[in-house]
Structure formats: C-alpha cells, structure tokens
Amino acid sequence: NATSYDVMTIVIISLQTFAGMWINGFMASVLCVACLKKKSFNANEKILLFLGCCRFCYLGITWVYFFLSIINPWKLFVHTIRQILSAIQSFLNISNLWVSACLCIFYCIKIANFRNIFFIYLKGKIDRIMLWLFLGSMLFALVISILVYKVIDEAHSDNFNCTGRENFWKVNIKTDEHFFPLYFLSGVGFAIAFMAVISSALLLLFSLWRHKCKMQMNSGKDLSMDAHVKAMKSILSFFFIYSINFACLVLTLIYSTKKANPVMFLTLVFQYAFPSVHSLILIFSNHKLERTLRRTLSCGKCKVCMR
C-alpha cells in the first residue's frame, strides 16, 4: 500500500510531469505548424522540434514507470514490461541529454566569432556537422537502450524463480547488481555530454564577452548590445540547470538502490524539472515561440475572465 510519503511524491511528480508535457507539447506543435506553413526547417528548428517531442514522450514514459513502481511494483516484474519501459526511457533520456548538448554546440559554432581557420570551416559546415552529431547521439542512445533491455531481461531471468513476496527486496538487490557496468557506461556518456556543454558554453561566453567589450569601446549605444546580453544570460541559465541535472543524474546512479531516500526524492524533483525549465528558456530565447506563448496565455486568460 502507498504511504503518505509515496502519495506526496506522486502528486509533486505528476504536477511537474503534466506541466512539462504541456510546455514541450506546445513547443513541438508550434514548430510543426511553422514547418507546414513554410515547408522548410533549419538546423535549430529541427533540434528544438526533436527536443520537444523527445521530452514530451520521456516525461510520459517516466511518469508511467514511476507510478507503477510505487503503486504496484510487481507489475514491473511481468516479462517484457519492465524491459520495454526501461529501454524506451533510457533512449529518450540519453537522446534528451545529448541533443541538448548538440544544441549548445550549435549555438557556439553559429554565434561565436573566432578567426581560427578550423572554426571558420565548422561555421560553414554547420548543417552537416549537426546532422552527424544528431545521428551519433541517436546511435549512442539506441545502443544504451538495447543494453538496458538485455541487462534487465537477464536479471529478470536469473531471479525468475524468486517469486515469493518475502523475497521481493532480495530480487531487487540481485537485479541492481546487474546494472553496475551499465551505470558506469551511462555515467561516461553523461560526462561526455556535460563536457561538451561546458566547452561550448565557455567558448560562447568568452566570444560574446569579447564582442561586448569591443562594442562598448566603439559605441556605447550599439543596438545589438541588448541581444548579446540576452544571449549571455540564456547560455548561463542553460549551463546552470544542465550542471544541476548532471549532478542529479550522478546521485541517481549512487542512490538508485535505496528505497524512500530523501536524496532520491530531491533528485527526482530536479530531473523532472529539467525538461520543463530548459524548454521554457528555449521558448523565451526564440522570438516566434515567445510571441506565440504570450498570445496563447493571453487568450486563455481572456476566456477564463469571460466565464
């Protein structure tokens, strides 16, 4: 039976999940409508569209998995249910993290201004580079999800004879032991994505800061100053929340075998907040998405007032 702690956790996580699904569903739908109108997509819009769809599905799948694990954990030990849910969740989670890192790399190459020959070459081949980075991210996520399915299936088969309710936690412990190599591989993948975000953010911030100093020296009333300051704020916000999310992922790997741990509850809250908060930053950094969101919220507010 669910305890008061479980009920509180379900309520908080559910509210975060539905809010995040609305935000990411909104971003994906606006971009889809824009694509149908102009029948073309640039690299930035493709990444944003994929992130919106990926995060919408990730939040939904993760909520189902989380809900079952608290309300009726025995359902997860039915053959193929836990395997399929975990594999899909891993694919979407890794895709989300790596494509977010690709987006940061895209902004760095697109916006930063360096006179290095190699950097100029990257700027000219940005669309092709992002395509290969995107495909590489999908391939890595697919490999990890297949390994997750295989490891869980092997753990399930090894412990299939332990069907007594009194052996339930023993089954859990034995199952978790199968995951340590997978945890290590996932941790390496998270670290690589995090290093890509750090490098891109630092390069972009250095370039924007240098450009800002040049504009101040040449003309203190440059109209593009506000745009550069806004870009710097967006990158810093993204870097900050990505750092928190990375720390939560590491804590999840450490405390995943412990039941009803306060640290796990906090990491869950932050992990569910990341897809929503980062998508909001992306929406308010895009004039088209921000304008559509404000118009949608104002229309909704008018309809509520009319009632």
Side-chain angles (χ1 to χ4, degrees):
N1 295 326
T3 63
S4 58
Y5 173 85
D6 293 333
V7 173
M8 180 188 69
T9 305
I10 290 173
V11 170
I12 294 174
I13 298 299
S14 297
L15 291 174
Q16 284 186 298
T17 298
F18 298 140
M21 291 179 71
W22 187 91
I23 292 169
N24 287 283
F26 167 82
M27 185 169 70
S29 61
V30 171
L31 290 171
C32 282
V33 171
C35 176
L36 293 175
K37 286 182 178 180
K38 64 180 184 179
K39 298 181 180 179
S40 63
F41 251 8
N42 56 40
N44 182 40
E45 291 173 331
K46 290 177 182 177
I47 296 174
L48 292 179
L49 176 60
F50 178 82
L51 275 179
C53 296
C54 178
R55 287 171 173 174
F56 181 88
C57 297
Y58 169 74
L59 288 169
I61 292 292
T62 305
W63 184 84
V64 171
Y65 189 95
F66 171 78
F67 187 80
L68 286 177
S69 66
I70 290 182
I71 299 300
N72 193 358
W74 279 95
K75 286 287 185 182
L76 297 177
F77 284 88
V78 177
H79 187 58
T80 72
I81 289 182
R82 189 181 188 188
Q83 291 91 317
I84 293 174
L85 286 177
S86 297
I88 296 174
Q89 183 185 24
S90 298
F91 176 80
L92 294 172
N93 186 31
I94 295 173
S95 298
N96 172 25
L97 292 172
W98 275 68
V99 175
S100 298
C102 289
L103 183 63
C104 200
I105 295 172
F106 173 81
Y107 286 152
C108 177
I109 298 175
K110 193 76 174 178
I111 300 174
N113 187 18
F114 296 104
R115 295 182 180 179
N116 185 277
I117 297 176
F118 180 69
F119 194 84
I120 294 173
Y121 171 80
L122 293 178
K123 192 180 285 286
K125 302 288 184 179
I126 182 66
D127 289 334
R128 184 176 297 180
I129 291 171
M130 294 313 301
L131 175 62
W132 284 109
L133 284 175
F134 184 82
L135 292 177
S137 301
M138 294 300 97
L139 180 61
F140 179 76
L142 182 62
V143 170
I144 294 296
S145 63
I146 292 173
L147 290 176
V148 167
Y149 184 94
K150 185 177 180 181
V151 168
I152 294 179
D153 191 58
E154 289 177 355
H156 180 88
S157 300
D158 291 344
N159 296 289
F160 187 73
N161 56 341
C162 300
T163 55
R165 185 171 293 272
E166 66 279 0
N167 294 324
F168 178 71
W169 295 115
K170 293 181 181 179
V171 173
N172 259 344
I173 293 171
K174 290 180 181 179
T175 301
D176 289 326
E177 290 174 353
H178 289 76
F179 286 87
F180 291 136
L182 192 60
Y183 285 169
F184 176 78
L185 183 60
S186 299
V188 171
F190 297 155
I192 294 173
F194 185 55
M195 290 302 297
V197 170
I198 291 177
S199 302
S200 301
L202 290 178
L203 284 173
L204 182 55
L205 287 172
F206 176 73
S207 175
L208 292 175
W209 174 78
R210 189 176 62 175
H211 186 62
K212 178 176 177 286
C213 292
K214 287 182 179 180
M215 288 191 298
Q216 285 179 332
M217 292 176 61
N218 296 331
S219 175
K221 297 181 179 180
D222 198 308
L223 295 177
S224 62
M225 182 70 71
D226 292 337
H228 283 81
V229 172
K230 185 177 181 180
M232 291 177 72
K233 289 180 179 179
S234 298
I235 294 298
L236 282 174
S237 301
F238 173 52
F239 176 73
F240 179 70
I241 64 170
Y242 202 99
S243 301
I244 294 176
N245 186 65
F246 176 74
C248 291
L249 288 169
V250 174
L251 290 174
T252 300
L253 297 181
I254 296 173
Y255 290 96
S256 60
T257 59
K258 298 182 180 181
K259 185 72 172 175
N261 191 288
V263 176
M264 272 302 296
F265 172 73
L266 290 176
T267 56
L268 279 174
V269 171
F270 280 115
Q271 280 186 274
Y272 274 85
F274 173 71
S276 307
V277 176
H278 184 220
S279 294
L280 275 178
I281 293 175
L282 295 176
I283 289 173
F284 284 107
S285 300
N286 186 294
H287 294 296
K288 184 189 299 180
L289 291 173
E290 181 182 5
R291 188 168 58 251
T292 307
L293 178 62
R294 292 184 184 278
R295 188 164 57 246
T296 302
L297 293 177
S298 61
C299 290
K301 185 177 180 180
C302 290
K303 290 182 179 179
V304 172
C305 293
M306 289 176 64
R307 291 180 181 178

